[in-house]
Amino acid sequence: MTPLLSAHELSIQTTDKRVLLQPTSLQVHSGEVVGVIGANGAGKSTLLKALAGIRAVHSGHVLLAGQAAHSLNPVQRAHIQGYLEQRPVLHWPMQVQQVVALARLAFGDGDLPSGTAAIAQALAATAMTEFAQRDFPHLSEGEKLLVNLARVLAGEPKLLLADEPTAALDPAHQHRVMQLLRQRALAGMGVMVVLHDLTLAARYCDRLLLLHEGALVAQGLPAAVLSTTNLQNTFQIDAVLDTTTCTVIIRSNSR
């Protein structure tokens, strides 16, 4: 089966030749949640931005649903891929429903039954329906994140790239968001999500990619990637994964 996302030897450098991401290859298939983990500065957001097409790469290439990503125009790309940035910024005093409706611009049906249904479903999925008429700038940071998640979902992408979608959320909402991503994967979506919470990563992801200082140092099932050795080498913590509860237990901090 053709992967929804395939990156081959992707590398990223700054203009002064500083390496931010060493050559990296990966795939995301329909029906799976792939977590990207690593310490601060490991290259997680940089990788996701490159995959989303908003950060230039030094070498390598990306395929979306088997097509060269660089050959797709913005509308074609929007029909395949949705991207939720880490801290979305909106500069206009729009209502929540208007923000979510932006996702239908690529379809041209924001005022048609197909578009309004997608918007309503996305608001309901993120528990933002009652916020539909509220002004977006007046929301809390956590509420803004949920609205922007609804915006991405309203575009009905085949592939979702989400950069820390649980940031600024309380524990209940963190699990609700991850459950939602899990449900979307079960319905056939491919999901790649950057996470700092290792327990969430262990509990909800099918596979994990572990980055360290710009290099992909491990990938595979959570139980294998979240080994005591990997956690020590990349996070400098003495920790163990309890596979019964999918909980990462920190025994000591060796920093």
Side-chain angles (χ1 to χ4, degrees), residues 7 107 144 177 233:
F107 300 83
K144 289 177 180 177
V177 166
N233 292 339

Side-chain angles (χ1 to χ4, degrees), residues 106-126:
F107 300 83
D109 66 351
D111 296 324
L112 300 177
S114 58
T116 56
I119 293 166
Q121 290 167 8
L123 285 168
T126 53

Side-chain angles (χ1 to χ4, degrees), residues 183-201:
Q183 291 166 4
R184 293 301 168 110
L186 290 173
M189 182 183 285
V191 178
M192 174 174 274
V193 54
V194 171
L195 292 167
H196 270 295
D197 190 312
L198 300 180
T199 292
L200 289 178

Side-chain angles (χ1 to χ4, degrees), residues 48 52 54 81-88 144-153 160-166 177 181 192-194:
L48 214 66
I54 59 177
Q81 168 204 291
Y83 170 66
L84 177 64
E85 61 184 320
Q86 189 176 127
R87 295 179 182 85
K144 289 177 180 177
L145 189 147
L146 289 171
V147 171
N148 277 287
L149 176 57
R151 173 182 54 78
V152 176
L153 293 178
L160 172 59
L161 305 176
D163 194 354
E164 294 191 46
T166 58
V177 166
L181 297 182
M192 174 174 274
V193 54
V194 171

Side-chain angles (χ1 to χ4, degrees), residues 23-47:
T24 298
S25 298
L26 58 90
Q27 293 183 342
V28 178
H29 290 84
S30 171
E32 68 172 348
V33 179
V34 178
V36 183
I37 60 173
N40 291 338
K44 303 182 296 297
S45 294
T46 298
L47 170 63

Side-chain angles (χ1 to χ4, degrees), residues 5-11 21-28 34 47 51 59-62 192 207-211 214-220:
L5 172 67
S6 182
H8 299 272
E9 295 296 305
L10 207 64
S11 69
L21 182 71
Q22 298 179 34
T24 298
S25 298
L26 58 90
Q27 293 183 342
V28 178
V34 178
L47 170 63
L51 295 173
S59 64
H61 62 276
V62 176
M192 174 174 274
R207 292 191 293 115
L208 296 178
L209 308 177
L210 176 60
L211 294 178
L216 179 60
V217 296
Q219 60 178 313

Side-chain angles (χ1 to χ4, degrees), residues 83-255:
Y83 170 66
L84 177 64
E85 61 184 320
Q86 189 176 127
R87 295 179 182 85
V89 177
L90 182 70
H91 297 284
W92 300 277
M94 300 171 68
Q95 290 186 334
V96 166
Q97 185 162 328
Q98 294 173 313
V99 174
V100 178
L102 292 173
R104 302 307 299 183
L105 289 175
F107 300 83
D109 66 351
D111 296 324
L112 300 177
S114 58
T116 56
I119 293 166
Q121 290 167 8
L123 285 168
T126 53
M128 287 287 107
T129 301
E130 64 180 79
F131 291 76
Q133 306 306 317
R134 296 193 189 182
D135 292 331
F136 181 84
H138 296 160
L139 302 181
S140 70
E141 291 306 308
E143 290 165 346
K144 289 177 180 177
L145 189 147
L146 289 171
V147 171
N148 277 287
L149 176 57
R151 173 182 54 78
V152 176
L153 293 178
E156 302 176 306
K158 297 179 177 65
L159 170 71
L160 172 59
L161 305 176
D163 194 354
E164 294 191 46
T166 58
L169 298 179
D170 60 55
H173 279 91
Q174 288 179 357
H175 284 280
R176 192 170 301 163
V177 166
M178 293 307 298
Q179 288 166 0
L180 174 58
L181 297 182
R182 177 82 259 156
Q183 291 166 4
R184 293 301 168 110
L186 290 173
M189 182 183 285
V191 178
M192 174 174 274
V193 54
V194 171
L195 292 167
H196 270 295
D197 190 312
L198 300 180
T199 292
L200 289 178
R203 188 164 297 177
Y204 292 104
C205 296
D206 298 295
R207 292 191 293 115
L208 296 178
L209 308 177
L210 176 60
L211 294 178
H212 181 60
E213 296 180 350
L216 179 60
V217 296
Q219 60 178 313
L221 297 176
V225 174
L226 294 172
S227 68
T228 298
T229 299
N230 283 342
L231 294 174
Q232 174 67 51
N233 292 339
T234 58
F235 293 96
Q236 286 75 58
I237 55 174
D238 177 18
V240 62
L241 173 64
D242 183 332
T243 56
T244 302
T245 62
C246 289
T247 302
V248 174
I249 302 170
I250 299 176
R251 297 182 291 203
S252 67
N253 186 332
S254 60
R255 286 183 183 274

